[in-house]
């Protein structure tokens, strides 16, 4: 009881002291203390202004969630945002998240995707060591937490300097280089792939990425499967000297296609010269909207696979608009025997030959009769007749560039096929 009375007495004195402060007279206080009290009040006012809610700023920041972009670069390019700060981004699966955008350094458009923070330099792979291991130093766990190469996320952008941070942009934001055709039919065409025959004499060997690099094997009916997977390879600069496929192949939602046949090893800076092309054309009916918006989705519907169907089970044949060449010049690019089997003026997807081998694209033509499509269609699954396997399966059947029998022209055989979306 005595202790309780003493506590109540002290509390009473505390409240009396606080109330008395309001009525203190500065005349009774030394001048040095007046200065200190004045400074304290000024500091309190400044602090109050700093912490007071700025609703105008909050509304502006909150409205950033209305933007629909996957990176700060897209935010800059699409909405002309130029202010550093926290913004909302959206993943390819539609998930909204916040991160910091640097919109000034070297032109801006930089997306914060992670921070590495050492919470205790004395800890040895303990809690908080997300970028190494939180499970101790253990030889039986060689990957540790594995966060450098998984899709785990943690932390918040506001605590990125006081804790580890990793957002979906770490794995979702894609940066890659490609070629853009900004002139043909209004421009806006994105190069997503090229099909290049590195050796017409090779039969599904190394380099035949658009058919099979594992030989002609009925037990591997899809071959390398690159028409309908997310593998990428090559570089844009080498697209006429090697196979090329970038993330745009499966990531872009497009309406139309453009196709260029450019001579092998032709320098990138001259691709856009009309005279450089063997053949150039585009579609104009927005057909890709019917097939998922890109070739990745189209070939999910029409698999490029051995024994997937018979000759009559081809995919869509789409009319084309010529940018260089015409129907007659297209016909002459293929062998005399082949000319009797197709109609020029189309691009055809997933053709199947007599041996039930599937080819991905018949460029410039639509098979109508005969179905010896290995002589004028490109790409394929994992199994062909022994003399037909490869990215250009049998373009040299009656001698390379011989203009006889089933052989395609040398111009067509020795040109890379560049595939664009818009």
């Amino acid at each position: 009881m005595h202790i309780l009375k003493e506590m109540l007495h002290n509390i009473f004195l505390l409240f009396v002291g606080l109330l008395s402060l309001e009525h203190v007279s500065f005349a009774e206080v030394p001048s040095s203390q007046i200065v200190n009290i004045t400074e304290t009040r000024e500091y309190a006012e400044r602090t109050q202004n700093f912490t007071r809610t700025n609703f105008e700023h909050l509304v502006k920041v909150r409205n950033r969630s209305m933007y629909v972009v996957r990176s700060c670069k897209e935010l800059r390019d699409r909405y002309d945002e130029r202010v550093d700060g926290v913004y909302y981004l959206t993943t390819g699966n539609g998930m909204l998240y916040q991160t910091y955008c640097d919109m000034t350094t070297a032109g801006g458009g930089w997306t914060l995707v992670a921070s590495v923070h050492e919470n205790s330099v004395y800890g040895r792979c303990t809690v908080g060591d997300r970028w190494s291991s939180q499970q101790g130093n253990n030889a039986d766990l060689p990957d540790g937490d594995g966060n450098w190469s998984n899709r785990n996320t943690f932390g918040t952008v506001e605590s990125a300097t006081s804790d580890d941070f990793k957002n979906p942009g770490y794995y979702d934001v894609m940066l890659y280089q490609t070629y853009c055709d900004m002139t043909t039919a209004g421009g806006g065409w994105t190069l997503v792939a090229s099909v290049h025959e590195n050796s017409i004499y090779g039969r599904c060997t190394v380099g035949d990425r658009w058919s099979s690099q594992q030989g002609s094997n009925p037990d591997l009916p899809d071959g390398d499967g690159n028409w309908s997977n997310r593998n990428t390879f090559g570089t844009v600069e080498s697209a006429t000297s090697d196979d090329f496929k970038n993330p745009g192949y499966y990531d872009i939602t497009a309406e139309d296609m453009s196709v260029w046949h450019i001579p092998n090893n032709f320098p990138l800076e001259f691709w856009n010269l009309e005279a450089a092309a063997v053949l150039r054309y585009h579609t104009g009916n927005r057909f890709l909207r019917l097939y998922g918006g890109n070739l990745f989705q189209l070939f999910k519907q029409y698999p490029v696979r051995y024994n997937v169907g018979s000759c009559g089970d081809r995919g869509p044949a789409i009319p084309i608009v010529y940018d260089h060449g015409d129907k007659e010049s297209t016909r002459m690019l293929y062998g005399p025997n082949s000319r009797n089997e197709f109609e020029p003026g189309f691009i055809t997807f997933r053709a199947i030959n007599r041996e039930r081998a599937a080819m991905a694209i018949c460029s410039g033509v639509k098979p109508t009769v005969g179905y010896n499509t290995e002589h004028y269609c490109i790409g394929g699954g994992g199994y062909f007749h022994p003399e037909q396997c490869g990215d250009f399966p049998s373009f040299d059947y009656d001698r390379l560039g011989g203009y006889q029998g089933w052989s395609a022209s040398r111009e067509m055989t020795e040109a890379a096929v560049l595939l664009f979306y818009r």
Side-chain angles (χ1 to χ4, degrees):
M1 180 66 72
H2 177 73
I3 295 173
L4 179 60
K5 287 182 179 179
E6 186 176 345
M7 289 176 63
L8 290 173
H9 178 70
N10 289 337
I11 292 171
F12 174 74
L13 290 176
L14 175 63
F15 275 99
V16 170
L18 290 172
L19 290 170
S20 299
L21 182 62
E22 290 293 319
H23 303 285
V24 68
S25 170
F26 288 146
E28 302 170 3
V29 180
S31 59
S32 61
Q33 293 186 28
I34 294 176
V35 173
N36 290 338
I37 292 172
T38 302
E39 289 178 349
T40 301
R41 286 184 171 176
E42 289 176 353
Y43 175 78
E45 289 176 1
R46 288 198 304 272
T47 302
Q48 189 177 31
N49 290 335
F50 182 75
T51 58
R52 183 179 292 128
T53 301
N54 184 337
F55 289 101
E56 183 179 349
H57 175 70
L58 281 183
V59 170
K60 183 178 179 181
V61 172
R62 183 65 183 86
N63 285 342
R64 290 172 177 174
S65 65
M66 304 301 292
Y67 297 144
V68 182
V69 291
R70 291 178 67 179
S71 71
C72 297
K73 183 179 183 300
E74 288 183 2
L75 187 66
R76 182 200 66 183
D77 295 345
R78 187 173 181 182
Y79 297 101
D80 198 34
E81 279 285 354
R82 302 285 174 175
V83 179
D84 296 345
V86 175
Y87 290 86
Y88 289 86
L89 303 181
T90 305
T91 70
N93 294 321
M95 185 173 70
L96 197 69
Y97 67 95
Q98 277 188 310
T99 195
Y100 185 89
C101 293
D102 171 8
M103 305 304 251
T104 53
T105 302
W110 301 97
T111 305
L112 176 66
V113 298
S115 73
V116 183
H117 172 268
E118 179 56 82
N119 67 316
S120 173
V121 77
Y122 302 106
R124 299 300 181 211
C125 289
T126 53
V127 173
D129 287 327
R130 299 180 186 88
W131 293 106
S132 50
S133 173
Q134 301 181 94
Q135 308 165 72
N137 193 19
N138 191 338
D140 294 328
L141 298 170
D143 295 309
D145 282 21
N147 287 320
W148 292 103
S149 56
N150 65 27
R151 290 175 178 254
N152 294 350
T153 59
F154 37 81
T156 64
V157 62
E158 289 185 334
S159 65
T161 60
S162 57
D163 196 6
D164 292 327
F165 172 55
K166 181 184 173 189
N167 65 36
Y170 182 90
Y171 55 82
D172 186 72
V173 175
M174 292 182 297
L175 298 176
Y176 60 93
Q177 277 190 315
T178 196
Y179 183 91
C180 294
D181 170 15
M182 307 304 275
T183 53
T184 302
W189 301 95
T190 304
L191 177 67
V192 298
S194 73
V195 184
H196 170 269
E197 180 55 80
N198 66 314
S199 173
I200 196 68
Y201 303 108
R203 299 302 180 202
C204 288
T205 52
V206 173
D208 286 326
R209 299 180 186 87
W210 293 107
S211 50
S212 173
Q213 300 181 95
Q214 308 164 73
S216 187
N217 188 342
D219 294 327
L220 298 170
D222 293 298
D224 281 23
N226 286 320
W227 292 102
S228 56
N229 66 26
R230 293 173 181 262
N231 295 348
T232 59
F233 37 82
T235 63
V236 62
E237 290 185 335
S238 64
T240 60
S241 58
D242 197 6
D243 292 327
F244 173 56
K245 181 184 174 190
N246 66 37
Y249 180 88
Y250 55 81
D251 188 66
I252 292 174
T253 301
E255 296 181 337
D256 282 297
M257 280 189 65
S258 177
V259 179
W260 297 8
H261 291 252
I262 303 293
N264 287 347
N265 305 312
F266 209 72
L268 179 150
E269 56 266 31
F270 301 120
W271 289 354
N272 62 337
L273 299 178
E274 185 179 338
V278 175
L279 174 66
R280 273 178 59 173
Y281 59 84
H282 66 274
T283 66
N285 62 359
R286 301 180 177 180
F287 80 99
L288 281 174
R289 293 192 300 179
L290 301 175
Y291 303 102
N294 53 48
L295 293 182
F296 173 78
Q297 295 294 342
L298 186 152
F299 288 121
K300 292 288 188 184
Q301 298 179 50
Y302 296 93
V304 184
R305 178 184 303 134
Y306 169 67
N307 207 26
V308 72
S310 60
C311 300
D313 297 322
R314 65 166 173 77
I318 310 300
I320 60 175
V321 178
Y322 284 98
D323 300 307
H324 177 74
D326 54 33
K327 289 185 177 181
E328 185 56 29
S329 65
T330 300
R331 184 187 303 275
M332 298 305 295
L333 289 171
Y334 298 104
N337 293 349
S338 300
R339 296 170 203 161
N340 299 319
E341 292 197 358
F342 60 68
E343 178 184 352
F346 295 84
I347 179 172
T348 304
F349 302 94
R350 214 285 299 281
I352 299 174
N353 71 3
R354 290 181 179 277
E355 292 82 16
R356 304 178 75 86
M359 278 131 279
I361 293 176
C362 304
S363 183
V365 302
K366 175 176 67 175
T368 53
V369 296
Y371 303 108
N372 294 289
T373 53
E374 66 273 12
H375 305 300
Y376 50 91
C377 301
I378 64 173
Y383 181 71
F384 291 79
H385 183 277
E387 296 301 317
Q388 298 175 0
C389 206
D391 287 352
F392 290 14
S394 190
F395 277 34
D396 64 332
Y397 189 80
D398 290 307
R399 192 165 63 84
L400 173 61
Y403 284 100
Q404 58 187 8
W406 295 103
S407 287
S409 67
R410 182 177 290 273
E411 289 90 340
M412 203 61 158
T413 305
E414 296 182 345
V417 184
L418 276 56
L419 308 177
F420 295 79
Y421 292 160
R422 182 173 71 179

